[in-house]
Amino acid sequence: MDRRHLLQLAAATATTLWLQRSAWSQPKFTSNPFTLGVASGSPTHDSVVLWTRLVVPGGALTEAATVRWEVSRDEAFKDIVKSGQLQALPELAHSVHAEVGGLDPDRWYFYRFFAGDERSPVGRTRTFPAPDALATKLRLAYASCQRWEHGYFSAYRHMLNEQLDAVLFLGDYIYEYPGAKDAVRPVSGGWVITLDDYRRRYELHKSEPELQAMHAACPWIVTWDDHEVQNDYAGLHVGENGPEVKDFPARRAAAYQAFYEHMPLRSSVLTQAVAGLRQGAETRLYGELRFGRLASFYILDDRQYRDLHACTKDGKPGSSSVDVATCPLLADPKRTLLGAQQEAWLDQAFARAGQGWNIIGQQTLFVPRVSPTPDKTIVWNDGWDGYPAARQRLIDSLRRRELRNAVLLGGDVHENWVGHVKADFAEAKSANVAVEFCGTSITSRSGGNDKMAERLARNPHFVFADGERKGYGVCEFTPRRMSTALRVVSDVAKKDAGIETLASFVVEAGAAKIERA
Ligand SMILES: [Fe+2]
């Protein structure tokens, strides 16, 4: 199907259809089609996106199907405040993205879907406080990297008890691999390449009850990293691993479509990008959200618009460790990670920012992390370390706009790294510009704590790091301070893994200084 047609469908299906009852497509289901659960996301002060997808065993559902939704103030659905219906289309894998507006600010709601005679599980979601409201508390988890073969998603069973207002998911929701050495459990399917492959892989991940339950518990704010498409891809440049795929833009477009089909995203993610269509078709994920006067979110996309990696070993695609002295291209001021348009948008968003917490949600580690090799400056070229001029432009923007209370949350590295963003990293006494909490993974493996002392000594802007434990972070924001707890599971290979706090930190408002709690 051509892209334009897809965009029209997405736009048409996101708004409620007022059809004659006779015009509804009401297939008879032989089993409940809501097996992937429900989700909500992209919240504003008066709206939220409700998501589900109809799946019938054996893919027997080939026609469009009408899905009804209800939003209620109470769990028993006695006080229904909004309802509607829309078409779940085969072209979009029978996914449903109901954009519900006209809701009260700062309020919890319950929602559910109906199709044929079947009913979905009940989800719980909330609106954010009005932009000018003095909100007093925001509790947020940040998470990333859930490789299926590497373990069970038991972290989410514990996240369910954290009394969160929202989950910030920062990439690698799926992985495209056919399996792993010493896998905890097998994946179904081989290399993930076609639209169908991507859909099957999301179905696999969403079959985990703990993940479904967390989606049903509060709204999610999501971005992606590389594995939603392919390891280490960069913009329209192919990444590495797996069979050669001739038409990478087509693969990327399929992967982006499958991401949209499985996430609680607004249809504008697809339709806003029409003007920006190039050979690979933009999918506009980046954007801004506001939680009253307490916090603003800036959600970034550092994959779709980035330049190719600099100096990857032997001229291969993908990433590698690079000796800065032998790679002058690294310092090229023209190189970009966010793309010119997103950079300009972010700078403008900072200019409008309020006095509350400014939460920058992005994929990877922001501050430098140099290898502990003596006499050499070796960095990994896939993260911000591979795009130092772009990183400095963002730091300069933070300073020029005098952004208060800037907090970077990231993922990708499968390790917990906590540190300060400095105005100038070459100068130890340089001012702190922001704080950064880069998360570990839900399951994906990492290198461990060998040489951690040397790594920390070589990178003194960090206050804490751990290369072993898996889990998520919880941040609580109040007008006076931000507290972060690094929550870690006992063992990803065990379904009944326990949880504990690895370390806690406090940042006082206005200080840009991380204190161990
Ligand atoms: Fe990852």
Side-chain angles (χ1 to χ4, degrees), residues 145 171-172 175 225-227 412 414 444:
C145 297
D172 292 355
Y175 284 72
D225 197 20
D226 52 341
H227 290 286
D412 179 45
H414 305 174
S444 306

Side-chain angles (χ1 to χ4, degrees), residues 173-227:
Y173 192 96
I174 58 159
Y175 284 72
E176 79 282 20
Y177 297 123
K181 235 180 122 193
D182 306 317
V184 172
R185 53 180 172 172
V187 288
S188 46
W191 284 100
V192 175
I193 291 162
T194 66
L195 179 56
D196 263 1
D197 296 338
Y198 285 107
R199 287 170 173 168
R200 296 297 93 77
R201 193 54 61 93
Y202 282 100
E203 288 165 20
L204 176 70
H205 281 239
K206 283 180 168 288
S207 68
E208 188 98 328
E210 284 84 350
L211 179 57
Q212 284 194 15
M214 198 59 231
H215 272 298
C218 70
W220 283 43
I221 299 162
V222 299
T223 188
W224 52 32
D225 197 20
D226 52 341
H227 290 286

